[in-house]
Amino acid sequence: MGVRFLQIAVVYFAIGVTLGLYMSMAHDYELKGVHVHINLLGWASFALAGLVYHLFPNTSKNLYAKLHFWSANIGVPLMMIALTVLILNGAEVATIFTAIGGVLVVFSVIMFAINVLMNVRSKN
């Protein structure tokens, strides 16, 4: 699970940095919220989760880890694509998809928190 999270994290990192470069070159910062969420949720949070799963292998082999991975990796793209459509096109229908993606992300964070609290122990 740790490797999976780290691999997907670098994909989000590349997407976030590329979007940032585009915004800078075009002097168009309309998508800054998307850029920030991709970098914070996709890159930073997923990379940190990957390190936790790698350092504490007992956290990576349970239902919480699977629910964390899949709900996050469905929620983040859904939320970011819908937010992009909402910002660029003003399509109000995208609001519901932004909300669904956000709920999936929150659910994934709760699954991760439960997993860590239940399975990460000191060696002392």
Side-chain angles (χ1 to χ4, degrees):
M1 190 59 69
V3 170
R4 291 171 78 185
F5 264 101
L6 288 169
Q7 288 174 332
I8 198 73
V10 298
V11 171
Y12 282 113
F13 188 38
I15 292 168
V17 168
T18 301
L19 178 57
L21 177 64
Y22 161 76
M23 291 187 314
S24 178
M25 291 172 64
H27 301 285
D28 180 2
Y29 303 99
E30 195 172 22
L31 295 176
K32 69 182 172 204
V34 175
H35 166 72
V36 167
H37 279 85
I38 288 172
N39 281 308
L40 183 58
L41 290 173
W43 163 236
S45 296
F46 286 8
L48 289 171
L51 292 174
V52 168
Y53 286 127
H54 180 74
L55 291 172
F56 301 95
N58 58 325
T59 61
S60 66
K61 296 178 176 78
N62 59 49
L63 181 60
Y64 295 117
K66 289 180 179 83
L67 289 171
H68 175 209
F69 182 84
W70 287 110
S71 59
N73 280 291
I74 293 168
V76 170
L78 180 61
M79 186 171 55
M80 293 305 94
I81 291 167
L83 186 57
T84 300
V85 169
L86 183 64
I87 290 169
L88 295 180
N89 298 329
E92 288 298 318
V93 70
T95 302
I96 188 68
F97 295 105
T98 304
I100 292 168
V103 168
L104 285 169
V105 169
V106 169
F107 175 77
S108 75
V109 170
I110 292 169
M111 292 301 98
F112 181 62
I114 291 170
N115 194 1
V116 168
L117 293 171
M118 289 179 59
N119 295 302
V120 173
R121 300 283 180 254
S122 172
K123 291 185 180 185
N124 295 336

